[in-house]
Amino acid sequence: MTGKAFDHLKALVVEDNPHLRILLRTLLNTLGIRQVFEAADGSEALPLLCAHSPDFVLTDLSMAPMDGIEFTRLVRASTEVPNPYVPIVMVTGHTEQRCIEMARDAGVTEILAKPITVQSLFSRVAEIVERPRPFVRADAFFGPDRRRRMRREFDGPWRRHDDSSDIEVR
Amino acid sequence: MQTGSPQGRILPNGAQVIAADSYPPVLPQAEIGAFIARLKSEDARRSADTAMAASRGVMRQAVDGYVRLLAEATQRGDVAALFAQAHEMRGLAELAGIGVAGRMANGLCQYLDALDGGRPDETTVRLHVEAIERVARGEDHGAIAAVVAEELTALVIRKLGEVRALGLPG
């Protein structure tokens, strides 16, 4: 591989399928990311997260004993993890709407639908690097702002008291 | 250790909005440009494509294993195992070079998911599993496999409509 290595950049891959885990690690290596930690489920991933404080996480949804939703909730809620704001990309074949909403409500930053492609993976990585999102801490939620964009043509009711002030228009 | 506790703007409903620049970034600002350039480079894309191609044989072996398990689960009438194997297949088949089998597996997953634990229509399941087996054995490919996949998609759409309309499986 040629090109600049981002030696200090650390990623954590949480995936129960070993073939896919290796592929994800290899694809991250092609970006110059050399420090890629691997876990087969959320319970294996948490100690790695605490020990190495990765800069971002790629996690599957369906895993046992701890799935990606529970893992994400624990990361966001924990006082033990070094960086509860760490971007979490959920890599999942579960593209049903309720699964996406569960992931979002758990505090996932981005969704990457399987089957993965080079383009889809790289675009999610670019997104979390280039456009970090504000976080919201509320009684029942801590995670990236669930509102991704404001539509200029939106004519429905405003549901936040100060909707006009803080949302980036893209 | 928790990384600080950035102060954010408090919304009238009590929720706190924490700006993206007040928690640790994935990369320092000075390195983002170089990283994104690397990510968008021909070299990175070529390396990633090579890695994907190199993984194809291993992915194919894995998918063949899932096809066997899918058939066994069908014979046992084990719906949970059926979903699990179809779910693995939809994530990996494209990477194994038989994306059309992945689309068939995805349709089967959507159907089983909509049943929410109910018993599936045996014919619908059998048609999917046999079609997937034929693709995996190389008996169906190209335009024929694509037409079969389209027909199966139409069948799933009809079945999902029945599930929604009647609130009943199959």
Side-chain angles (χ1 to χ4, degrees):
Chain A
M1 187 200 80
T2 58
K4 180 177 167 60
F6 293 86
D7 290 330
H8 55 84
L9 201 52
K10 292 177 284 187
L12 172 61
V13 174
V14 193
E15 166 66 61
D16 58 355
N17 186 301
H19 308 298
L20 206 47
R21 205 164 62 227
I22 291 167
L23 179 63
L24 286 168
R25 182 189 67 205
T26 307
L27 292 175
L28 293 175
N29 289 160
T30 67
L31 292 176
I33 303 171
R34 303 279 170 77
Q35 298 187 70
V36 182
F37 305 99
E38 298 176 36
D41 80 291
S43 64
E44 273 187 23
L46 276 172
L48 290 174
L49 193 83
C50 292
H52 300 290
S53 191
D55 297 293
F56 67 92
V57 178
L58 305 180
T59 181
D60 189 13
L61 193 158
S62 297
M63 296 173 292
M66 186 189 291
D67 66 24
I69 299 283
E70 182 63 15
F71 168 68
T72 302
R73 284 200 192 106
L74 286 174
V75 171
R76 296 302 184 218
S78 174
T79 55
E80 304 297 319
V81 302
N83 179 16
Y85 301 89
V86 63
I88 298 176
V89 180
M90 188 155 282
V91 186
T92 179
H94 290 280
T95 50
E96 300 85 7
Q97 186 173 348
R98 66 181 167 78
C99 292
I100 302 297
E101 288 175 355
M102 271 171 51
R104 180 200 64 186
D105 293 346
V108 159
T109 314
E110 296 285 337
I111 301 281
L112 172 55
K114 292 177 184 173
I116 60 165
T117 63
V118 171
Q119 171 139 2
S120 62
L121 174 65
F122 283 13
S123 74
R124 296 314 183 283
V125 174
E127 189 72 21
I128 58 175
V129 170
E130 283 190 299
R131 280 182 281 276
R133 290 161 59 191
F135 265 61
V136 171
R137 185 186 297 281
D139 289 341
F141 176 75
F142 175 62
D145 193 337
R146 289 174 285 191
R147 186 177 292 177
R148 300 297 295 264
R149 58 177 59 86
M150 177 185 283
R151 287 184 291 133
R152 290 181 191 280
E153 71 274 17
F154 180 70
D155 60 359
W158 296 117
R159 291 186 290 190
R160 276 189 191 161
H161 293 288
D162 64 344
D163 261 322
S164 59
S165 61
D166 68 326
I167 305 298
E168 180 190 6
V169 178
R170 302 198 242 139
Chain B
M1 177 196 70
Q2 184 110 6
T3 305
S5 184
Q7 290 303 302
R9 203 166 41 76
I10 305 295
L11 299 177
N13 66 2
Q16 182 187 21
V17 179
I18 300 158
D21 59 4
S22 61
Y23 63 82
V26 175
L27 271 175
Q29 191 67 34
E31 293 185 27
I32 290 177
F35 182 75
I36 295 299
R38 167 74 190 155
L39 192 143
K40 293 182 175 171
S41 70
E42 266 304 306
D43 181 46
R45 180 57 60 97
R46 206 176 306 115
S47 299
D49 286 342
T50 301
M52 293 284 260
S55 73
R56 186 164 286 187
V58 173
M59 295 297 181
R60 184 56 201 262
Q61 285 180 355
V63 167
D64 286 345
Y66 293 132
V67 173
R68 281 194 296 278
L69 293 172
L70 190 68
E72 289 169 13
T74 306
Q75 284 182 344
R76 292 197 309 273
D78 184 342
V79 179
L82 192 62
F83 182 88
Q85 303 310 328
H87 176 67
E88 292 294 342
M89 277 211 63
R90 69 174 165 177
L92 288 190
E94 180 76 38
L95 300 171
I98 49 172
V100 69
R103 293 200 293 280
M104 293 167 178
N106 184 50
L108 183 55
C109 284
Q110 288 180 329
Y111 173 54
L112 296 176
D113 185 64
L115 295 176
D116 200 19
R119 293 301 302 174
D121 170 46
E122 285 181 15
T123 304
T124 302
V125 171
R126 182 174 50 77
L127 287 172
H128 277 84
V129 173
E130 288 177 357
I132 290 168
E133 287 179 309
R134 284 197 304 275
V135 171
R137 286 196 299 262
E139 292 169 13
D140 280 2
H141 50 83
I144 292 175
V147 168
V148 173
E150 279 178 29
E151 292 297 324
L152 289 174
T153 300
L155 175 61
V156 166
I157 289 170
R158 198 169 73 236
K159 287 291 174 189
L160 293 179
E162 290 173 8
V163 172
R164 274 192 294 270
L166 303 174
L168 293 169

